Short mmCIF file of all heavy atoms in Angstrom, two decimals:
data_model
loop_
_atom_site.label_atom_id
_atom_site.label_comp_id
_atom_site.label_asym_id
_atom_site.label_seq_id
_atom_site.Cartn_x
_atom_site.Cartn_y
_atom_site.Cartn_z
N MET T 1 -7.11 -21.33 -17.58
CA MET T 1 -8.47 -21.25 -17.19
C MET T 1 -8.65 -21.68 -15.70
O MET T 1 -9.62 -21.31 -15.07
CB MET T 1 -9.38 -22.09 -18.09
CG MET T 1 -10.83 -21.87 -17.92
SD MET T 1 -11.22 -20.18 -18.46
CE MET T 1 -12.89 -20.16 -18.20
N ALA T 2 -7.73 -22.43 -15.22
CA ALA T 2 -7.77 -22.86 -13.82
C ALA T 2 -7.65 -21.74 -12.81
O ALA T 2 -8.00 -21.82 -11.67
CB ALA T 2 -6.72 -23.91 -13.58
N ARG T 3 -7.10 -20.56 -13.30
CA ARG T 3 -6.90 -19.47 -12.37
C ARG T 3 -8.22 -18.71 -12.08
O ARG T 3 -8.26 -17.91 -11.15
CB ARG T 3 -5.89 -18.48 -12.94
CG ARG T 3 -4.54 -19.22 -13.27
CD ARG T 3 -3.57 -18.26 -13.76
NE ARG T 3 -2.99 -17.59 -12.58
CZ ARG T 3 -2.16 -16.57 -12.61
NH1 ARG T 3 -1.84 -16.04 -13.78
NH2 ARG T 3 -1.70 -16.04 -11.50
N LEU T 4 -9.24 -18.94 -12.86
CA LEU T 4 -10.54 -18.24 -12.64
C LEU T 4 -11.61 -19.10 -11.97
O LEU T 4 -12.77 -18.80 -12.02
CB LEU T 4 -11.03 -17.73 -13.98
CG LEU T 4 -10.20 -16.69 -14.67
CD1 LEU T 4 -10.80 -16.32 -16.08
CD2 LEU T 4 -10.04 -15.45 -13.87
N HIS T 5 -11.16 -20.11 -11.24
CA HIS T 5 -12.16 -21.00 -10.57
C HIS T 5 -12.89 -20.23 -9.47
O HIS T 5 -14.04 -20.60 -9.14
CB HIS T 5 -11.47 -22.27 -10.05
CG HIS T 5 -10.50 -22.02 -9.02
ND1 HIS T 5 -9.18 -21.60 -9.31
CD2 HIS T 5 -10.60 -22.11 -7.63
CE1 HIS T 5 -8.55 -21.47 -8.16
NE2 HIS T 5 -9.39 -21.75 -7.12
N TRP T 6 -12.31 -19.26 -8.86
CA TRP T 6 -12.95 -18.48 -7.80
C TRP T 6 -14.16 -17.68 -8.36
O TRP T 6 -15.08 -17.35 -7.60
CB TRP T 6 -11.95 -17.50 -7.16
CG TRP T 6 -11.26 -16.60 -8.10
CD1 TRP T 6 -10.13 -16.82 -8.72
CD2 TRP T 6 -11.75 -15.30 -8.51
NE1 TRP T 6 -9.79 -15.76 -9.57
CE2 TRP T 6 -10.78 -14.80 -9.44
CE3 TRP T 6 -12.84 -14.57 -8.26
CZ2 TRP T 6 -10.93 -13.57 -10.09
CZ3 TRP T 6 -12.96 -13.35 -8.88
CH2 TRP T 6 -12.05 -12.84 -9.80
N LEU T 7 -14.13 -17.37 -9.63
CA LEU T 7 -15.24 -16.61 -10.27
C LEU T 7 -16.53 -17.39 -10.20
O LEU T 7 -17.61 -16.85 -10.13
CB LEU T 7 -14.84 -16.27 -11.70
CG LEU T 7 -15.85 -15.36 -12.46
CD1 LEU T 7 -15.97 -14.03 -11.77
CD2 LEU T 7 -15.40 -15.22 -13.90
N GLU T 8 -16.43 -18.73 -10.22
CA GLU T 8 -17.59 -19.57 -10.18
C GLU T 8 -18.35 -19.42 -8.85
O GLU T 8 -19.55 -19.58 -8.77
CB GLU T 8 -17.21 -21.04 -10.38
CG GLU T 8 -16.73 -21.34 -11.78
CD GLU T 8 -16.39 -22.78 -11.92
OE1 GLU T 8 -16.84 -23.63 -11.14
OE2 GLU T 8 -15.60 -23.13 -12.82
N ALA T 9 -17.64 -19.08 -7.79
CA ALA T 9 -18.22 -18.91 -6.48
C ALA T 9 -18.67 -17.41 -6.23
O ALA T 9 -19.68 -17.17 -5.63
CB ALA T 9 -17.31 -19.33 -5.35
N ILE T 10 -17.87 -16.52 -6.74
CA ILE T 10 -18.16 -15.11 -6.51
C ILE T 10 -19.41 -14.66 -7.25
O ILE T 10 -20.16 -13.87 -6.72
CB ILE T 10 -16.89 -14.21 -6.91
CG1 ILE T 10 -15.76 -14.59 -6.04
CG2 ILE T 10 -17.25 -12.78 -6.81
CD1 ILE T 10 -15.93 -14.32 -4.56
N LEU T 11 -19.57 -15.06 -8.44
CA LEU T 11 -20.71 -14.63 -9.26
C LEU T 11 -22.06 -14.94 -8.57
O LEU T 11 -22.87 -14.03 -8.45
CB LEU T 11 -20.59 -15.21 -10.67
CG LEU T 11 -21.61 -14.67 -11.70
CD1 LEU T 11 -21.41 -13.15 -11.84
CD2 LEU T 11 -21.39 -15.34 -13.01
N PRO T 12 -22.34 -16.18 -8.14
CA PRO T 12 -23.61 -16.47 -7.51
C PRO T 12 -23.75 -15.72 -6.20
O PRO T 12 -24.81 -15.23 -5.85
CB PRO T 12 -23.55 -17.97 -7.25
CG PRO T 12 -22.59 -18.47 -8.18
CD PRO T 12 -21.59 -17.44 -8.41
N LEU T 13 -22.68 -15.52 -5.41
CA LEU T 13 -22.73 -14.80 -4.18
C LEU T 13 -23.08 -13.32 -4.45
O LEU T 13 -23.79 -12.71 -3.69
CB LEU T 13 -21.42 -14.91 -3.39
CG LEU T 13 -21.16 -16.26 -2.80
CD1 LEU T 13 -19.81 -16.30 -2.18
CD2 LEU T 13 -22.23 -16.66 -1.78
N GLY T 14 -22.52 -12.77 -5.52
CA GLY T 14 -22.87 -11.42 -5.88
C GLY T 14 -24.30 -11.24 -6.26
O GLY T 14 -24.93 -10.28 -5.94
N ILE T 15 -24.84 -12.25 -6.99
CA ILE T 15 -26.23 -12.20 -7.35
C ILE T 15 -27.16 -12.29 -6.13
O ILE T 15 -28.10 -11.52 -5.96
CB ILE T 15 -26.53 -13.32 -8.35
CG1 ILE T 15 -25.84 -13.05 -9.68
CG2 ILE T 15 -28.07 -13.52 -8.56
CD1 ILE T 15 -25.88 -14.21 -10.66
N ILE T 16 -26.79 -13.20 -5.20
CA ILE T 16 -27.59 -13.32 -3.97
C ILE T 16 -27.51 -12.04 -3.16
O ILE T 16 -28.55 -11.59 -2.64
CB ILE T 16 -27.08 -14.55 -3.17
CG1 ILE T 16 -27.40 -15.87 -3.92
CG2 ILE T 16 -27.65 -14.53 -1.73
CD1 ILE T 16 -26.77 -17.07 -3.33
N GLY T 17 -26.35 -11.47 -2.98
CA GLY T 17 -26.19 -10.26 -2.25
C GLY T 17 -26.90 -9.11 -2.87
O GLY T 17 -27.60 -8.33 -2.19
N GLY T 18 -26.93 -9.02 -4.23
CA GLY T 18 -27.68 -8.00 -4.93
C GLY T 18 -29.19 -8.15 -4.72
O GLY T 18 -29.92 -7.17 -4.52
N MET T 19 -29.69 -9.38 -4.77
CA MET T 19 -31.08 -9.60 -4.59
C MET T 19 -31.54 -9.25 -3.12
O MET T 19 -32.65 -8.76 -2.91
CB MET T 19 -31.47 -11.07 -4.90
CG MET T 19 -31.38 -11.42 -6.32
SD MET T 19 -32.62 -10.45 -7.25
CE MET T 19 -31.65 -9.92 -8.61
N LEU T 20 -30.68 -9.53 -2.13
CA LEU T 20 -31.00 -9.13 -0.79
C LEU T 20 -31.16 -7.62 -0.65
O LEU T 20 -32.02 -7.16 0.04
CB LEU T 20 -29.93 -9.67 0.19
CG LEU T 20 -30.01 -11.18 0.46
CD1 LEU T 20 -28.75 -11.61 1.27
CD2 LEU T 20 -31.24 -11.59 1.21
N CYS T 21 -30.22 -6.93 -1.27
CA CYS T 21 -30.25 -5.47 -1.20
C CYS T 21 -31.50 -4.95 -1.91
O CYS T 21 -32.19 -4.02 -1.38
CB CYS T 21 -29.05 -4.88 -1.91
SG CYS T 21 -27.52 -5.15 -1.01
N ILE T 22 -31.91 -5.54 -3.06
CA ILE T 22 -33.06 -5.08 -3.79
C ILE T 22 -34.29 -5.34 -2.93
O ILE T 22 -35.23 -4.49 -2.84
CB ILE T 22 -33.18 -5.79 -5.14
CG1 ILE T 22 -32.08 -5.26 -6.08
CG2 ILE T 22 -34.55 -5.66 -5.74
CD1 ILE T 22 -31.91 -6.03 -7.36
N MET T 23 -34.41 -6.53 -2.30
CA MET T 23 -35.54 -6.86 -1.45
C MET T 23 -35.69 -5.93 -0.25
O MET T 23 -36.75 -5.56 0.16
CB MET T 23 -35.58 -8.32 -1.06
CG MET T 23 -35.82 -9.27 -2.19
SD MET T 23 -37.35 -8.88 -3.10
CE MET T 23 -38.57 -9.08 -1.81
N GLY T 24 -34.54 -5.62 0.33
CA GLY T 24 -34.56 -4.70 1.53
C GLY T 24 -35.02 -3.36 1.13
O GLY T 24 -35.82 -2.75 1.84
N ASN T 25 -34.56 -2.83 -0.03
CA ASN T 25 -35.07 -1.55 -0.48
C ASN T 25 -36.51 -1.58 -0.87
O ASN T 25 -37.26 -0.63 -0.69
CB ASN T 25 -34.20 -1.07 -1.71
CG ASN T 25 -32.91 -0.51 -1.23
OD1 ASN T 25 -32.78 0.12 -0.16
ND2 ASN T 25 -31.87 -0.76 -2.03
N ALA T 26 -36.97 -2.69 -1.46
CA ALA T 26 -38.37 -2.83 -1.82
C ALA T 26 -39.26 -2.77 -0.53
O ALA T 26 -40.27 -2.10 -0.51
CB ALA T 26 -38.62 -4.16 -2.55
N GLN T 27 -38.83 -3.44 0.52
CA GLN T 27 -39.60 -3.42 1.78
C GLN T 27 -39.62 -2.02 2.33
O GLN T 27 -40.67 -1.55 2.83
CB GLN T 27 -38.96 -4.33 2.81
CG GLN T 27 -39.17 -5.78 2.59
CD GLN T 27 -38.50 -6.66 3.62
OE1 GLN T 27 -37.76 -6.19 4.44
NE2 GLN T 27 -38.87 -7.95 3.59
N TYR T 28 -38.53 -1.26 2.26
CA TYR T 28 -38.47 0.08 2.77
C TYR T 28 -39.45 0.99 1.99
O TYR T 28 -40.25 1.72 2.64
CB TYR T 28 -37.03 0.64 2.60
CG TYR T 28 -36.93 2.12 2.91
CD1 TYR T 28 -36.89 2.59 4.17
CD2 TYR T 28 -36.86 3.05 1.84
CE1 TYR T 28 -36.80 3.95 4.45
CE2 TYR T 28 -36.75 4.37 2.06
CZ TYR T 28 -36.68 4.89 3.37
OH TYR T 28 -36.65 6.20 3.61
N PHE T 29 -39.38 0.92 0.68
CA PHE T 29 -40.29 1.81 -0.11
C PHE T 29 -41.74 1.43 0.02
O PHE T 29 -42.61 2.25 -0.02
CB PHE T 29 -39.80 1.83 -1.56
CG PHE T 29 -38.59 2.63 -1.77
CD1 PHE T 29 -37.36 2.04 -2.12
CD2 PHE T 29 -38.57 4.04 -1.53
CE1 PHE T 29 -36.23 2.78 -2.25
CE2 PHE T 29 -37.40 4.76 -1.71
CZ PHE T 29 -36.27 4.13 -2.08
N ILE T 30 -42.04 0.13 0.09
CA ILE T 30 -43.44 -0.30 0.28
C ILE T 30 -43.95 0.16 1.60
O ILE T 30 -45.09 0.67 1.69
CB ILE T 30 -43.55 -1.85 0.12
CG1 ILE T 30 -43.34 -2.26 -1.32
CG2 ILE T 30 -44.89 -2.38 0.63
CD1 ILE T 30 -43.16 -3.75 -1.53
N HIS T 31 -43.19 0.01 2.70
CA HIS T 31 -43.60 0.48 4.01
C HIS T 31 -43.78 2.02 4.03
O HIS T 31 -44.78 2.56 4.54
CB HIS T 31 -42.61 0.06 5.03
CG HIS T 31 -43.10 0.40 6.44
ND1 HIS T 31 -42.95 1.60 6.99
CD2 HIS T 31 -43.72 -0.40 7.40
CE1 HIS T 31 -43.49 1.57 8.21
NE2 HIS T 31 -43.92 0.37 8.50
N LYS T 32 -42.85 2.74 3.37
CA LYS T 32 -42.94 4.16 3.31
C LYS T 32 -44.15 4.60 2.51
O LYS T 32 -44.86 5.56 2.88
CB LYS T 32 -41.67 4.73 2.70
CG LYS T 32 -41.59 6.24 2.84
CD LYS T 32 -40.27 6.75 2.37
CE LYS T 32 -40.20 8.25 2.46
NZ LYS T 32 -38.92 8.78 1.96
N ALA T 33 -44.49 3.94 1.42
CA ALA T 33 -45.70 4.29 0.61
C ALA T 33 -46.94 3.99 1.40
O ALA T 33 -47.93 4.73 1.32
CB ALA T 33 -45.66 3.50 -0.64
N ALA T 34 -46.99 2.94 2.17
CA ALA T 34 -48.18 2.54 2.89
C ALA T 34 -48.43 3.40 4.11
O ALA T 34 -49.57 3.72 4.44
CB ALA T 34 -48.11 1.07 3.29
N HIS T 35 -47.37 3.80 4.81
CA HIS T 35 -47.50 4.51 6.09
C HIS T 35 -47.06 6.00 5.99
O HIS T 35 -47.30 6.72 6.99
CB HIS T 35 -46.72 3.82 7.20
CG HIS T 35 -47.19 2.42 7.45
ND1 HIS T 35 -48.36 2.15 8.12
CD2 HIS T 35 -46.68 1.24 7.10
CE1 HIS T 35 -48.53 0.88 8.21
NE2 HIS T 35 -47.49 0.29 7.59
N GLY T 36 -46.49 6.38 4.90
CA GLY T 36 -46.11 7.81 4.75
C GLY T 36 -44.81 8.20 5.44
O GLY T 36 -44.46 9.35 5.36
N ARG T 37 -44.14 7.30 6.08
CA ARG T 37 -42.85 7.60 6.74
C ARG T 37 -42.07 6.34 6.85
O ARG T 37 -42.62 5.23 6.85
CB ARG T 37 -43.10 8.22 8.10
CG ARG T 37 -43.84 7.30 9.06
CD ARG T 37 -44.12 7.98 10.37
NE ARG T 37 -44.99 7.09 11.14
CZ ARG T 37 -44.89 6.93 12.44
NH1 ARG T 37 -43.96 7.57 13.09
NH2 ARG T 37 -45.68 6.17 13.06
N PRO T 38 -40.78 6.43 7.03
CA PRO T 38 -39.96 5.23 7.13
C PRO T 38 -40.27 4.46 8.48
O PRO T 38 -40.77 5.08 9.41
CB PRO T 38 -38.50 5.74 7.19
CG PRO T 38 -38.55 7.16 6.65
CD PRO T 38 -39.94 7.61 6.93
N LYS T 39 -39.96 3.20 8.45
CA LYS T 39 -40.21 2.37 9.62
C LYS T 39 -39.25 2.73 10.75
O LYS T 39 -38.08 2.87 10.52
CB LYS T 39 -40.05 0.88 9.23
CG LYS T 39 -40.42 -0.06 10.36
CD LYS T 39 -40.35 -1.49 9.90
CE LYS T 39 -40.79 -2.40 11.02
NZ LYS T 39 -40.81 -3.77 10.64
N HIS T 40 -39.79 2.88 11.90
CA HIS T 40 -38.98 3.12 13.08
C HIS T 40 -38.36 1.82 13.58
O HIS T 40 -39.12 0.99 14.07
CB HIS T 40 -39.84 3.84 14.16
CG HIS T 40 -39.06 4.24 15.35
ND1 HIS T 40 -39.11 5.51 15.84
CD2 HIS T 40 -38.21 3.60 16.21
CE1 HIS T 40 -38.34 5.62 16.88
NE2 HIS T 40 -37.79 4.48 17.12
N ILE T 41 -37.06 1.71 13.52
CA ILE T 41 -36.39 0.45 13.93
C ILE T 41 -36.30 0.51 15.46
O ILE T 41 -35.92 1.47 16.08
CB ILE T 41 -35.01 0.37 13.31
CG1 ILE T 41 -35.12 0.55 11.80
CG2 ILE T 41 -34.31 -0.92 13.67
CD1 ILE T 41 -35.18 -0.61 10.96
N GLY T 42 -36.53 -0.62 16.10
CA GLY T 42 -36.43 -0.72 17.59
C GLY T 42 -37.51 0.02 18.32
O GLY T 42 -37.29 0.49 19.40
N ASN T 43 -38.69 0.08 17.77
CA ASN T 43 -39.82 0.76 18.35
C ASN T 43 -40.40 -0.13 19.42
O ASN T 43 -40.99 -1.15 19.19
CB ASN T 43 -40.88 1.06 17.26
CG ASN T 43 -41.67 2.30 17.55
OD1 ASN T 43 -41.35 3.05 18.42
ND2 ASN T 43 -42.74 2.51 16.77
N ASP T 44 -40.31 0.33 20.70
CA ASP T 44 -40.82 -0.47 21.84
C ASP T 44 -42.14 0.11 22.33
O ASP T 44 -42.63 1.10 21.74
CB ASP T 44 -39.79 -0.65 22.88
CG ASP T 44 -39.34 0.67 23.51
OD1 ASP T 44 -39.78 1.71 23.04
OD2 ASP T 44 -38.53 0.68 24.44
N MET T 45 -42.65 -0.43 23.40
CA MET T 45 -43.93 0.03 23.94
C MET T 45 -43.85 1.48 24.44
O MET T 45 -44.81 2.24 24.26
CB MET T 45 -44.35 -0.85 25.10
CG MET T 45 -44.79 -2.26 24.67
SD MET T 45 -45.12 -3.35 26.01
CE MET T 45 -46.42 -2.47 26.90
N TRP T 46 -42.71 1.89 24.95
CA TRP T 46 -42.57 3.29 25.38
C TRP T 46 -42.63 4.24 24.17
O TRP T 46 -43.29 5.28 24.29
CB TRP T 46 -41.23 3.44 26.05
CG TRP T 46 -40.92 4.85 26.52
CD1 TRP T 46 -40.14 5.77 25.87
CD2 TRP T 46 -41.48 5.53 27.66
NE1 TRP T 46 -40.14 6.95 26.53
CE2 TRP T 46 -40.98 6.84 27.62
CE3 TRP T 46 -42.34 5.15 28.70
CZ2 TRP T 46 -41.28 7.79 28.61
CZ3 TRP T 46 -42.62 6.08 29.64
CH2 TRP T 46 -42.12 7.40 29.64
N ASP T 47 -41.99 3.90 23.07
CA ASP T 47 -42.02 4.78 21.88
C ASP T 47 -43.48 4.85 21.33
O ASP T 47 -43.90 5.93 20.95
CB ASP T 47 -41.10 4.20 20.78
CG ASP T 47 -39.64 4.33 21.20
OD1 ASP T 47 -39.26 5.29 21.89
OD2 ASP T 47 -38.86 3.46 20.77
N VAL T 48 -44.15 3.71 21.34
CA VAL T 48 -45.55 3.76 20.88
C VAL T 48 -46.44 4.59 21.75
O VAL T 48 -47.23 5.40 21.30
CB VAL T 48 -46.11 2.30 20.80
CG1 VAL T 48 -47.58 2.27 20.55
CG2 VAL T 48 -45.36 1.48 19.79
N ALA T 49 -46.26 4.54 23.09
CA ALA T 49 -47.03 5.36 24.02
C ALA T 49 -46.71 6.83 23.79
O ALA T 49 -47.61 7.64 23.88
CB ALA T 49 -46.75 4.92 25.43
N MET T 50 -45.44 7.13 23.57
CA MET T 50 -45.10 8.59 23.40
C MET T 50 -45.63 9.10 22.03
O MET T 50 -46.02 10.22 21.95
CB MET T 50 -43.51 8.73 23.40
CG MET T 50 -42.95 8.52 24.78
SD MET T 50 -43.55 9.70 25.99
CE MET T 50 -44.65 8.69 26.96
N GLU T 51 -45.68 8.22 21.02
CA GLU T 51 -46.25 8.69 19.76
C GLU T 51 -47.78 8.97 19.89
O GLU T 51 -48.28 9.90 19.34
CB GLU T 51 -46.02 7.59 18.68
CG GLU T 51 -44.61 7.54 18.15
CD GLU T 51 -44.42 6.52 17.09
OE1 GLU T 51 -45.37 5.94 16.63
OE2 GLU T 51 -43.21 6.29 16.73
N ARG T 52 -48.44 8.07 20.62
CA ARG T 52 -49.88 8.30 20.87
C ARG T 52 -50.08 9.56 21.66
O ARG T 52 -51.01 10.36 21.40
CB ARG T 52 -50.46 7.10 21.68
CG ARG T 52 -50.64 5.88 20.84
CD ARG T 52 -51.37 4.81 21.65
NE ARG T 52 -51.36 3.57 20.89
CZ ARG T 52 -51.24 2.37 21.45
NH1 ARG T 52 -51.10 2.26 22.74
NH2 ARG T 52 -51.23 1.32 20.71
N ARG T 53 -49.24 9.80 22.75
CA ARG T 53 -49.39 11.01 23.53
C ARG T 53 -49.15 12.26 22.69
O ARG T 53 -49.91 13.22 22.78
CB ARG T 53 -48.38 10.98 24.70
CG ARG T 53 -48.44 12.19 25.59
CD ARG T 53 -47.22 12.24 26.45
NE ARG T 53 -46.04 12.44 25.55
CZ ARG T 53 -45.18 13.40 25.74
NH1 ARG T 53 -45.22 14.19 26.72
NH2 ARG T 53 -44.17 13.52 24.88
N ASP T 54 -48.10 12.21 21.85
CA ASP T 54 -47.80 13.37 21.01
C ASP T 54 -48.95 13.68 20.02
O ASP T 54 -49.27 14.77 19.79
CB ASP T 54 -46.48 13.12 20.28
CG ASP T 54 -45.25 13.10 21.18
OD1 ASP T 54 -45.39 13.55 22.36
OD2 ASP T 54 -44.17 12.64 20.74
N LYS T 55 -49.43 12.59 19.43
CA LYS T 55 -50.53 12.73 18.49
C LYS T 55 -51.77 13.32 19.22
O LYS T 55 -52.43 14.24 18.66
CB LYS T 55 -50.87 11.41 17.87
CG LYS T 55 -51.92 11.47 16.76
CD LYS T 55 -52.18 10.12 16.14
CE LYS T 55 -53.19 10.15 15.05
NZ LYS T 55 -53.44 8.86 14.49
N LYS T 56 -52.04 12.85 20.37
CA LYS T 56 -53.19 13.39 21.17
C LYS T 56 -52.97 14.84 21.50
O LYS T 56 -53.93 15.68 21.41
CB LYS T 56 -53.36 12.54 22.44
CG LYS T 56 -54.54 12.88 23.26
CD LYS T 56 -54.63 11.90 24.45
CE LYS T 56 -55.73 12.24 25.39
NZ LYS T 56 -55.74 11.38 26.53
N LEU T 57 -51.77 15.21 21.95
CA LEU T 57 -51.47 16.64 22.23
C LEU T 57 -51.54 17.51 21.01
O LEU T 57 -52.11 18.66 21.14
CB LEU T 57 -50.08 16.73 22.86
CG LEU T 57 -49.97 16.16 24.28
CD1 LEU T 57 -48.52 16.15 24.80
CD2 LEU T 57 -50.78 16.92 25.28
N MET T 58 -51.09 17.04 19.90
CA MET T 58 -51.22 17.86 18.69
C MET T 58 -52.68 18.04 18.22
O MET T 58 -53.05 19.12 17.81
CB MET T 58 -50.43 17.19 17.57
CG MET T 58 -48.91 17.17 17.74
SD MET T 58 -48.27 18.83 17.88
CE MET T 58 -48.43 19.38 16.21
N GLU T 59 -53.49 17.00 18.44
CA GLU T 59 -54.92 17.16 18.08
C GLU T 59 -55.60 18.12 19.06
O GLU T 59 -56.48 18.90 18.60
CB GLU T 59 -55.63 15.77 18.14
CG GLU T 59 -55.20 14.85 16.98
CD GLU T 59 -55.80 13.50 17.13
OE1 GLU T 59 -56.42 13.18 18.25
OE2 GLU T 59 -55.63 12.64 16.24
N GLN T 60 -55.25 18.07 20.30
CA GLN T 60 -55.89 18.95 21.28
C GLN T 60 -55.43 20.43 21.04
O GLN T 60 -56.21 21.37 21.15
CB GLN T 60 -55.46 18.55 22.71
CG GLN T 60 -56.17 17.32 23.22
CD GLN T 60 -55.68 16.94 24.60
OE1 GLN T 60 -54.75 17.57 25.13
NE2 GLN T 60 -56.36 15.93 25.15
N SER T 61 -54.15 20.61 20.68
CA SER T 61 -53.67 21.99 20.43
C SER T 61 -54.28 22.61 19.13
O SER T 61 -54.53 23.80 19.06
CB SER T 61 -52.17 22.05 20.39
OG SER T 61 -51.71 21.36 19.23
N SER T 62 -54.56 21.73 18.16
CA SER T 62 -55.11 22.24 16.90
C SER T 62 -56.63 22.46 17.05
O SER T 62 -57.24 23.30 16.33
CB SER T 62 -54.89 21.30 15.77
OG SER T 62 -55.50 20.09 15.99
N GLY T 63 -57.21 21.82 18.04
CA GLY T 63 -58.68 22.01 18.32
C GLY T 63 -59.00 23.26 19.05
O GLY T 63 -60.16 23.76 18.97
N ASN T 64 -58.05 23.84 19.71
CA ASN T 64 -58.35 25.08 20.51
C ASN T 64 -58.31 26.30 19.70
O ASN T 64 -57.82 26.64 18.78
CB ASN T 64 -57.29 25.19 21.61
CG ASN T 64 -57.55 24.10 22.67
OD1 ASN T 64 -58.65 23.62 22.81
ND2 ASN T 64 -56.50 23.78 23.41
#
């Protein structure tokens, strides 16, 4: 039985790793459900300005 002492450490680490994966996926799906698209990672001020510009241009082109 002394040969399985590593199992005592691996099992809790596996549970913790599994819970981290579950929580990450839960955040992804909650954000996608709330905003209708996946979260843009690394979105800076330039990206936000370009999204606003694109949205404004699309609204103007559909209004004509």
Side-chain angles (χ1 to χ4, degrees):
M1 192 67 180
R3 302 184 83 189
L4 296 178
H5 64 279
W6 56 270
L7 185 62
E8 293 180 21
I10 297 297
L11 190 60
L13 290 176
I15 293 170
I16 291 169
M19 289 296 134
L20 285 172
C21 291
I22 290 170
M23 289 307 298
N25 283 325
Q27 287 180 349
Y28 170 80
F29 286 112
I30 290 170
H31 187 278
K32 190 173 178 182
H35 298 285
R37 61 185 173 140
K39 185 174 183 178
H40 185 126
I41 308 264
N43 211 10
D44 60 358
M45 290 176 57
W46 177 260
D47 292 327
V48 172
M50 291 298 105
E51 285 181 10
R52 286 185 188 143
R53 180 195 66 127
D54 292 345
K55 186 176 179 182
K56 185 177 176 183
L57 288 173
M58 292 300 289
E59 288 175 354
Q60 286 178 353
S61 68
S62 66
N64 290 335

